[in-house]
Amino acid sequence: MIFRTATRQDLPALIALLSDEDAVVDPRTVEVDEAYERAFEAVDGDARNEMVVLDEGDGTVLGCLQLTYIPGLGRHGQERALIEAVRVRADQRGAGLGRELLTWAIDRARARGCTLVQLTSNKRRTQAHRFYGSLGFTASHDGFKLPL
């Protein structure tokens, strides 16, 4: 298995992973519309963003995450990394792929010089919370969202 930056060809598989975390969605059934195309191009064209896939080695996407690097004045001007859209294909869970994916992302952030990695997770995803805790993440803050 390899970790790599997502390409446009991965877009159906990414959308499939993000559309239903409890089932395997066939990427061939996913409609890639203009909104998805625009969003992918924005992420792909931004040096502070990486859409990463876990590839089985033959182009099959088994997992993904988005890694965003955030500059700031907090933490004495140190950059932080935000991990979002973490998914492992439903039929591949329990084999350690999520741990490999997150460990890779944490190592990548550390190599870039980030001094903090943060993520958010829906409050309903209690299994994911246990998983993140097993990697050393602590639930130190409450997050808030405001749909616009």
Side-chain angles (χ1 to χ4, degrees), residues 21 33 69-70 100 127 146:
E21 64 182 88
D33 62 19
Y69 303 104
I70 306 169
E100 287 184 50
Q127 287 182 323
L146 176 65

Side-chain angles (χ1 to χ4, degrees), residues 33-95:
D33 62 19
E34 187 178 321
Y36 283 127
E37 293 278 0
R38 252 190 337 266
F40 181 80
E41 291 303 319
V43 171
D44 192 49
D46 183 343
R48 292 199 172 276
N49 277 287
E50 294 182 83
M51 193 71 202
V52 177
V53 296
L54 175 57
D55 182 323
E56 193 166 31
D58 62 0
T60 303
V61 175
L62 300 178
C64 68
L65 61 77
Q66 182 174 342
L67 194 52
T68 301
Y69 303 104
I70 306 169
L73 296 176
R75 303 182 63 81
H76 201 239
Q78 297 297 308
E79 194 168 59
R80 68 183 61 206
L82 173 66
I83 298 174
E84 287 289 329
V86 178
R87 295 291 188 280
V88 171
R89 209 172 71 189
D91 65 341
Q92 298 295 314
R93 293 196 193 125

Side-chain angles (χ1 to χ4, degrees), residues 23-36:
V24 177
V25 176
D26 185 345
R28 295 172 297 188
T29 67
V30 170
E31 179 186 345
V32 179
D33 62 19
E34 187 178 321
Y36 283 127

Side-chain angles (χ1 to χ4, degrees), residues 73-127:
L73 296 176
R75 303 182 63 81
H76 201 239
Q78 297 297 308
E79 194 168 59
R80 68 183 61 206
L82 173 66
I83 298 174
E84 287 289 329
V86 178
R87 295 291 188 280
V88 171
R89 209 172 71 189
D91 65 341
Q92 298 295 314
R93 293 196 193 125
L97 299 181
R99 183 169 301 279
E100 287 184 50
L101 187 58
L102 267 289
T103 299
W104 181 91
I106 292 164
D107 289 344
R108 184 138 175 115
R110 186 178 289 117
R112 185 179 167 108
C114 294
T115 60
L116 178 75
V117 175
Q118 62 190 34
L119 56 81
T120 61
S121 181
N122 190 300
K123 289 186 178 206
R124 294 175 287 146
R125 298 183 71 217
T126 56
Q127 287 182 323

Side-chain angles (χ1 to χ4, degrees), residues 98-99 102-103 106 127-138:
R99 183 169 301 279
L102 267 289
T103 299
I106 292 164
Q127 287 182 323
H129 302 166
R130 283 192 294 276
F131 168 65
Y132 296 137
S134 76
L135 289 166
F137 286 88
T138 58

